[in-house]
C-alpha cells in the first residue's frame, strides 16, 4: 500500500466520532478528510468533495442511530448520488440483518462491530480500502445461506 487512505467518517455520536477519528489520524495509512454527524452533513460534505475534485477512498459509516430509521437509507442515497464507487465500511454496536443485506452493493467493504474491532480500526479501514471485505466475528451470524459472505472475506 503506497497511498494514504482518505476517509470520510459518518457517526452521530460525538464521543465515538472523535475516538474513531483519533484512532485513524494516529495511523500513518489513513487520513480523515471529513467527519459528519447526520445525512444532511454527509450530502454537503460529498458535494464539497466533488466540487473540489478531492478523493475519498472509504466512507466509515455508523449503522446504530437511535430514533432515526432513515439515517442509513438517506446516507446511502447521498453516497449513490455523489460517490457511487467509494468503498463503504459499516460499523455498529450489535449485528443488524438489514446491514448484512447491503452485501449485494458493489461498494460494500465490510461490517464491523466497534467492541470487537477496538484499537484495530485503522487496520480494518486499510484492508477495506484495498477492496477486501472485512467483518468481525459478531456479524458473521447475520450472513446466511441466502446472503453468504464471499470467499476471501477477512474475519478480524
Amino acid at each position: 500500500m503506497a497511498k494514504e487512505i482518505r476517509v470520510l467518517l459518518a457517526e452521530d455520536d460525538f464521543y465515538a466520532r472523535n475516538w474513531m477519528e483519533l484512532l485513524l489520524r494516529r495511523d500513518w495509512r489513513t487520513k480523515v478528510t471529513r467527519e459528519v454527524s447526520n445525512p444532511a452533513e454527509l450530502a454537503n460534505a460529498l458535494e464539497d468533495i466533488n466540487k473540489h475534485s478531492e478523493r475519498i477512498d472509504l466512507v466509515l459509516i455508523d449503522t446504530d442511530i437511535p430514533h432515526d430509521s432513515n439515517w442509513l437509507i438517506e446516507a446511502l442515497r447521498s453516497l449513490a448520488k455523489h460517490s457511487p464507487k467509494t468503498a463503504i465500511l459499516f460499523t455498529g454496536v450489535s449485528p443488524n440483518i438489514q446491514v448484512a443485506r447491503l452485501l449485494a452493493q458493489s461498494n460494500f467493504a465490510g461490517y464491523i462491530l466497534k467492541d470487537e474491532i477496538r484499537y484495530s480500526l485503522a487496520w480494518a479501514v486499510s484492508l477495506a480500502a484495498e477492496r477486501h471485505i472485512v467483518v468481525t466475528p459478531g456479524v458473521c451470524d447475520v450472513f446466511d445461506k441466502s446472503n453468504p459472505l464471499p470467499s476471501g472475506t477477512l474475519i478480524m
Side-chain angles (χ1 to χ4, degrees):
M1 187 199 90
K3 68 176 185 170
E4 84 183 343
I5 300 162
R6 299 175 60 86
V7 179
L8 189 155
L9 179 57
E11 165 68 59
D12 71 313
D13 181 276
F14 173 80
Y15 295 104
R17 186 173 62 249
N18 283 298
W19 181 247
M20 291 192 303
E21 179 189 10
L22 172 74
L23 290 172
L24 293 173
R25 286 196 190 274
R26 291 185 50 108
D27 192 283
W28 63 271
R29 297 169 289 194
T30 56
K31 178 180 181 177
V32 176
T33 59
R34 302 274 197 301
E35 55 179 276
V36 299
S37 63
N38 60 56
E41 286 181 13
L42 177 62
N44 291 338
L46 291 169
E47 285 177 22
D48 189 52
I49 287 165
N50 287 339
K51 187 167 101 177
H52 293 98
S53 300
E54 295 177 45
R55 182 186 92 236
I56 291 292
D57 300 306
L58 183 129
V59 175
L60 184 62
I61 188 165
D62 184 35
T63 60
D64 298 319
I65 312 299
H67 315 296
D68 191 351
S69 59
N70 291 324
W71 155 268
L72 192 54
I73 295 164
E74 291 176 36
L76 291 173
R77 279 189 196 132
S78 290
L79 284 163
K81 179 180 177 184
H82 299 290
S83 193
K85 295 183 180 175
T86 302
I88 304 172
L89 179 58
F90 298 96
T91 66
V93 174
S94 58
N96 182 334
I97 189 100
Q98 301 303 329
V99 177
R101 290 189 180 129
L102 297 172
L103 174 65
Q105 288 192 277
S106 63
N107 55 349
F108 181 91
Y111 184 23
I112 57 177
L113 297 182
K114 295 172 187 173
D115 193 41
E116 293 179 337
I117 202 64
R118 298 184 181 193
Y119 298 107
S120 298
L121 181 62
W123 182 37
V125 164
S126 68
L127 290 169
E130 293 174 355
R131 298 300 180 169
H132 295 284
I133 293 179
V134 296
V135 297
T136 53
V139 301
C140 290
D141 289 342
V142 295
F143 295 93
D144 55 19
K145 290 181 181 177
S146 64
N147 187 38
L149 285 167
S151 65
T153 296
L154 302 174
I155 302 173
M156 306 187 75

